[in-house]
Short mmCIF file of all heavy atoms in Angstrom, two decimals:
data_model
loop_
_atom_site.label_atom_id
_atom_site.label_comp_id
_atom_site.label_asym_id
_atom_site.label_seq_id
_atom_site.Cartn_x
_atom_site.Cartn_y
_atom_site.Cartn_z
N ASN J 1068 13.64 50.05 32.36
CA ASN J 1068 14.82 50.85 32.70
C ASN J 1068 15.74 51.07 31.49
O ASN J 1068 16.84 51.60 31.64
CB ASN J 1068 15.59 50.19 33.84
CG ASN J 1068 14.92 50.42 35.19
OD1 ASN J 1068 14.99 51.50 35.75
ND2 ASN J 1068 14.23 49.41 35.68
N LYS J 1069 15.29 50.62 30.33
CA LYS J 1069 16.01 50.83 29.07
C LYS J 1069 17.46 50.34 29.15
O LYS J 1069 18.40 51.03 28.72
CB LYS J 1069 15.98 52.30 28.65
CG LYS J 1069 14.58 52.84 28.42
CD LYS J 1069 14.63 54.21 27.77
CE LYS J 1069 13.28 54.74 27.35
NZ LYS J 1069 12.36 55.02 28.46
N LEU J 1070 17.65 49.17 29.75
CA LEU J 1070 19.01 48.65 29.93
C LEU J 1070 19.47 47.89 28.69
O LEU J 1070 18.66 47.35 27.94
CB LEU J 1070 19.06 47.73 31.15
CG LEU J 1070 18.65 48.38 32.47
CD1 LEU J 1070 18.68 47.36 33.60
CD2 LEU J 1070 19.57 49.56 32.81
N THR J 1071 20.77 47.86 28.50
CA THR J 1071 21.36 46.98 27.50
C THR J 1071 21.51 45.62 28.19
O THR J 1071 22.05 45.54 29.29
CB THR J 1071 22.73 47.49 27.04
OG1 THR J 1071 22.54 48.79 26.47
CG2 THR J 1071 23.36 46.57 26.01
N VAL J 1072 20.99 44.56 27.55
CA VAL J 1072 20.93 43.26 28.21
C VAL J 1072 21.64 42.21 27.36
O VAL J 1072 21.22 41.91 26.24
CB VAL J 1072 19.46 42.83 28.46
CG1 VAL J 1072 19.40 41.46 29.11
CG2 VAL J 1072 18.74 43.86 29.31
N LEU J 1073 22.75 41.68 27.90
CA LEU J 1073 23.41 40.58 27.22
C LEU J 1073 22.77 39.29 27.68
O LEU J 1073 22.75 39.00 28.87
CB LEU J 1073 24.92 40.61 27.49
CG LEU J 1073 25.60 41.75 26.70
CD1 LEU J 1073 25.75 42.99 27.54
CD2 LEU J 1073 26.92 41.31 26.14
N GLY J 1074 22.21 38.55 26.74
CA GLY J 1074 21.40 37.38 27.07
C GLY J 1074 22.17 36.08 26.96
O GLY J 1074 23.35 36.06 26.62
N ASP J 1075 21.48 34.99 27.25
CA ASP J 1075 22.12 33.68 27.25
C ASP J 1075 21.16 32.63 26.68
O ASP J 1075 20.15 32.97 26.07
CB ASP J 1075 22.62 33.35 28.67
CG ASP J 1075 24.02 32.79 28.63
OD1 ASP J 1075 24.17 31.68 28.11
OD2 ASP J 1075 24.97 33.46 29.09
N ILE J 1076 21.48 31.36 26.94
CA ILE J 1076 20.72 30.27 26.31
C ILE J 1076 19.76 29.63 27.30
O ILE J 1076 20.18 29.09 28.32
CB ILE J 1076 21.69 29.18 25.78
CG1 ILE J 1076 22.72 29.78 24.83
CG2 ILE J 1076 20.91 28.06 25.12
CD1 ILE J 1076 22.23 30.17 23.47
N GLY J 1077 18.48 29.68 27.00
CA GLY J 1077 17.47 29.05 27.86
C GLY J 1077 16.10 29.59 27.50
O GLY J 1077 15.96 30.37 26.55
N CYS J 1078 15.07 29.22 28.28
CA CYS J 1078 13.72 29.74 28.04
C CYS J 1078 13.73 31.26 27.98
O CYS J 1078 12.99 31.87 27.23
CB CYS J 1078 12.78 29.34 29.18
SG CYS J 1078 12.25 27.63 29.15
N TYR J 1079 14.58 31.86 28.82
CA TYR J 1079 14.58 33.32 28.96
C TYR J 1079 15.09 34.02 27.71
O TYR J 1079 14.99 35.25 27.62
CB TYR J 1079 15.40 33.74 30.18
CG TYR J 1079 16.74 33.05 30.25
CD1 TYR J 1079 17.88 33.63 29.69
CD2 TYR J 1079 16.86 31.80 30.84
CE1 TYR J 1079 19.09 32.98 29.72
CE2 TYR J 1079 18.08 31.15 30.88
CZ TYR J 1079 19.19 31.73 30.32
OH TYR J 1079 20.39 31.08 30.34
N THR J 1080 15.61 33.27 26.74
CA THR J 1080 15.94 33.89 25.44
C THR J 1080 14.68 34.47 24.82
O THR J 1080 14.73 35.40 24.02
CB THR J 1080 16.60 32.86 24.50
OG1 THR J 1080 17.64 32.19 25.22
CG2 THR J 1080 17.19 33.51 23.27
N LEU J 1081 13.51 33.92 25.24
CA LEU J 1081 12.24 34.45 24.75
C LEU J 1081 11.97 35.87 25.26
O LEU J 1081 11.05 36.53 24.80
CB LEU J 1081 11.09 33.51 25.16
CG LEU J 1081 11.12 32.12 24.50
CD1 LEU J 1081 10.10 31.19 25.14
CD2 LEU J 1081 10.88 32.22 23.00
N GLY J 1082 12.79 36.35 26.18
CA GLY J 1082 12.72 37.75 26.60
C GLY J 1082 13.11 38.71 25.49
O GLY J 1082 12.96 39.92 25.60
N ALA J 1083 13.61 38.14 24.38
CA ALA J 1083 13.97 38.95 23.22
C ALA J 1083 12.77 39.26 22.34
O ALA J 1083 12.81 40.11 21.46
CB ALA J 1083 15.04 38.23 22.40
N VAL J 1084 11.67 38.52 22.57
CA VAL J 1084 10.50 38.60 21.69
C VAL J 1084 9.58 39.74 22.14
O VAL J 1084 9.39 39.93 23.34
CB VAL J 1084 9.75 37.25 21.73
CG1 VAL J 1084 8.51 37.27 20.85
CG2 VAL J 1084 10.68 36.11 21.31
N PRO J 1085 9.01 40.52 21.19
CA PRO J 1085 8.06 41.56 21.59
C PRO J 1085 6.87 40.96 22.34
O PRO J 1085 6.51 39.83 22.07
CB PRO J 1085 7.58 42.16 20.26
CG PRO J 1085 8.59 41.71 19.25
CD PRO J 1085 9.18 40.44 19.75
N PRO J 1086 6.24 41.69 23.25
CA PRO J 1086 6.51 43.09 23.56
C PRO J 1086 7.65 43.31 24.57
O PRO J 1086 8.03 44.45 24.78
CB PRO J 1086 5.18 43.55 24.17
CG PRO J 1086 4.64 42.32 24.83
CD PRO J 1086 5.07 41.16 23.96
N LEU J 1087 8.17 42.25 25.18
CA LEU J 1087 9.24 42.47 26.16
C LEU J 1087 10.49 43.00 25.46
O LEU J 1087 11.06 44.01 25.86
CB LEU J 1087 9.55 41.17 26.92
CG LEU J 1087 8.44 40.73 27.90
CD1 LEU J 1087 8.67 39.31 28.38
CD2 LEU J 1087 8.35 41.67 29.09
N ALA J 1088 10.91 42.32 24.40
CA ALA J 1088 12.04 42.76 23.57
C ALA J 1088 13.15 43.39 24.39
O ALA J 1088 13.60 44.49 24.12
CB ALA J 1088 11.54 43.74 22.49
N ALA J 1089 13.60 42.65 25.41
CA ALA J 1089 14.52 43.23 26.39
C ALA J 1089 15.97 42.76 26.20
O ALA J 1089 16.83 43.18 26.96
CB ALA J 1089 14.04 42.89 27.80
N ILE J 1090 16.23 41.91 25.22
CA ILE J 1090 17.57 41.32 25.11
C ILE J 1090 18.32 41.86 23.89
O ILE J 1090 17.74 42.05 22.83
CB ILE J 1090 17.47 39.78 25.03
CG1 ILE J 1090 17.02 39.22 26.39
CG2 ILE J 1090 18.79 39.14 24.63
CD1 ILE J 1090 16.87 37.73 26.44
N ASP J 1091 19.61 42.14 24.08
CA ASP J 1091 20.44 42.69 23.00
C ASP J 1091 21.26 41.64 22.27
O ASP J 1091 21.61 41.83 21.11
CB ASP J 1091 21.39 43.75 23.57
CG ASP J 1091 20.63 45.01 23.95
OD1 ASP J 1091 19.98 45.00 25.01
OD2 ASP J 1091 20.66 45.98 23.17
N SER J 1092 21.67 40.58 22.98
CA SER J 1092 22.50 39.57 22.30
C SER J 1092 22.30 38.19 22.90
O SER J 1092 21.99 38.06 24.08
CB SER J 1092 23.98 39.95 22.41
OG SER J 1092 24.43 39.76 23.74
N THR J 1093 22.44 37.17 22.06
CA THR J 1093 22.45 35.78 22.50
C THR J 1093 23.47 35.05 21.66
O THR J 1093 23.36 35.04 20.42
CB THR J 1093 21.06 35.12 22.31
OG1 THR J 1093 20.10 35.81 23.12
CG2 THR J 1093 21.09 33.67 22.73
N ILE J 1094 24.48 34.48 22.30
CA ILE J 1094 25.54 33.80 21.56
C ILE J 1094 25.59 32.31 21.91
O ILE J 1094 25.28 31.46 21.09
CB ILE J 1094 26.92 34.43 21.84
CG1 ILE J 1094 26.87 35.95 21.64
CG2 ILE J 1094 28.00 33.79 20.96
CD1 ILE J 1094 26.60 36.42 20.23
N CYS J 1095 26.00 32.02 23.13
CA CYS J 1095 26.16 30.63 23.54
C CYS J 1095 26.08 30.56 25.05
O CYS J 1095 25.98 31.59 25.72
CB CYS J 1095 27.49 30.07 23.04
SG CYS J 1095 28.92 30.87 23.80
N MET J 1096 26.14 29.36 25.58
CA MET J 1096 26.06 29.16 27.03
C MET J 1096 27.17 29.94 27.74
O MET J 1096 28.36 29.71 27.48
CB MET J 1096 26.20 27.68 27.36
CG MET J 1096 25.16 26.78 26.73
SD MET J 1096 23.56 26.74 27.58
CE MET J 1096 23.96 25.70 28.98
#
Side-chain angles (χ1 to χ4, degrees):
Chain J
N1068 283 285
K1069 299 190 173 67
L1070 301 177
T1071 300
V1072 179
L1073 286 95
D1075 225 292
I1076 305 286
C1078 284
Y1079 47 92
T1080 311
L1081 293 170
V1084 179
L1087 290 168
I1090 290 179
D1091 288 77
S1092 72
T1093 298
I1094 309 295
C1095 66
M1096 301 279 284

